[in-house]
Amino acid sequence: ASSYLLKTPLIGQIMKSERHIPVHFAGSKQNDFSLEEDKRKAMEDRMDEALQDKDMLFSYPEGQVNRDDTKVLNPFRYGTFRCAIKNDASIWGWVAINNDLCWPDKGLPGQPAEIVCTLLELAPDGALAFLRQNDVPLVPREGQTEKELMSEQCKFLAQEMQKRMQAQLDALHSGSRTKSD
């Protein structure tokens, strides 16, 4: 979660007690997800440690909610999936609608709303199994660096997870259920 959320009364205390790992964004403008480089390594180490300890690690791959149209997910950030690949973590998605009614962008939070949500198994057997099943290389091709391979894998996971979660979001908005419900 963004580091400023941990300073929010009540919610910040809850997040701290749940051991949220703060993300220190360098910019303050909307859609600026650049990170404070001096804090990036510590954040990534804490993420790896959580997965190595078999803890759960929740991530918000959009970076922020789409304020223009809550029916459309923002593009998922590729780097979000680096930790899942490094630790061969399973990937699950949480898709919910009507959060914007409960917690509007402007106005008082905590408004009454019926939140409808679904938990999706996206890569329950692990990130590497998912990549393998989709013919994404697990070792660098000739002339490809490890960094280039990781970028390719992260990009694929980000785009595929977003596509699957968007389909579920569309189904929730239409009032229908998908086979994963």
Side-chain angles (χ1 to χ4, degrees):
S2 181
S3 60
Y4 82 89
L5 289 174
L6 276 74
K7 298 174 187 169
T8 306
L10 184 61
I11 291 173
Q13 292 303 315
I14 293 168
M15 294 174 85
K16 287 176 188 174
S17 72
E18 294 173 338
R19 297 181 359 176
H20 279 247
I21 299 170
V23 178
H24 297 274
F25 292 108
S28 59
K29 295 180 181 160
Q30 189 168 331
N31 298 323
D32 179 3
F33 300 111
S34 57
L35 299 177
E36 292 181 20
E37 286 302 319
D38 61 323
K39 296 180 180 165
R40 177 193 295 264
K41 174 88 169 90
M43 177 193 67
E44 290 175 352
D45 289 347
R46 285 185 65 192
M47 292 169 65
D48 286 335
E49 182 180 306
L51 289 176
Q52 290 162 4
D53 290 346
K54 304 296 183 208
D55 287 340
M56 287 186 181
L57 179 65
F58 291 88
S59 178
Y60 308 95
E62 288 182 278
Q64 67 185 18
V65 174
N66 185 338
R67 290 190 172 114
D68 296 326
D69 185 356
T70 58
K71 292 183 179 182
V72 178
L73 296 174
N74 277 333
F76 284 12
R77 304 195 29 82
Y78 301 162
T80 301
F81 297 93
R82 186 178 302 114
C83 187
I85 294 167
K86 283 175 49 181
N87 294 283
D88 194 21
S90 60
I91 302 172
W92 297 70
W94 174 269
V95 180
I97 60 171
N98 300 332
N99 298 309
D100 56 319
L101 302 177
C102 177
W103 200 282
D105 192 31
K106 305 235 186 314
L108 292 175
Q111 301 299 312
E114 181 181 346
I115 307 296
V116 181
C117 58
T118 303
L119 181 65
L120 297 172
E121 291 181 309
L122 296 170
D125 298 323
L128 297 179
F130 186 85
L131 292 170
R132 192 177 309 108
Q133 291 163 0
N134 287 279
D135 298 321
V136 177
L138 299 181
V139 295
R141 292 183 292 281
E142 188 172 327
Q144 186 180 38
T145 66
E146 290 284 341
K147 185 176 181 177
E148 291 167 339
L149 173 65
M150 179 63 79
S151 293
E152 177 184 349
Q153 293 169 334
C154 289
K155 180 179 178 179
F156 177 81
L157 278 178
Q159 291 173 342
E160 192 61 29
M161 298 302 128
Q162 180 181 357
K163 181 173 75 174
R164 292 171 185 227
M165 289 177 72
Q166 183 65 57
Q168 184 62 38
L169 184 63
D170 294 343
L172 289 176
H173 276 292
S174 72
S176 65
R177 300 284 190 236
T178 67
K179 65 181 180 179
S180 62
D181 287 343

